[in-house]
Amino acid sequence: MNTSTRYQVHISRDGQLHIDGEPQVVPDGVDPSQVVVQVLHIEAAGSGLPVLVQVQDERSCRAG
């Protein structure tokens, strides 16, 4: 039975990236969302299955 793999993505206000709680390296000048797409594309290609992602991007939150 084919099932999708689920991932939790968190991008902090200062651009730090974690996928399933694991810190990811974001090179200087690269948007963290580009790293997310690349990492999860590789995961999907490796498994041959789609991935489901829940993203919490604190950069879009406004302090108020």
Side-chain angles (χ1 to χ4, degrees):
M1 175 182 205
N2 289 345
T3 59
S4 299
T5 303
R6 296 180 183 267
Y7 292 90
Q8 297 288 322
V9 172
H10 179 251
I11 304 171
S12 67
R13 285 194 179 176
D14 62 357
Q16 292 185 32
L17 170 63
H18 289 80
I19 299 176
D20 283 346
E22 294 293 322
Q24 303 294 310
V25 174
V26 179
D28 290 337
V30 175
D31 188 280
S33 61
Q34 292 174 309
V35 175
V36 170
V37 171
Q38 182 176 357
V39 168
L40 296 181
H41 175 81
I42 291 168
E43 291 293 323
S47 70
L49 299 172
V51 296
L52 300 174
V53 182
Q54 181 177 356
V55 178
Q56 180 182 359
D57 188 345
E58 294 178 351
R59 298 173 304 164
S60 63
C61 298
R62 295 181 184 219

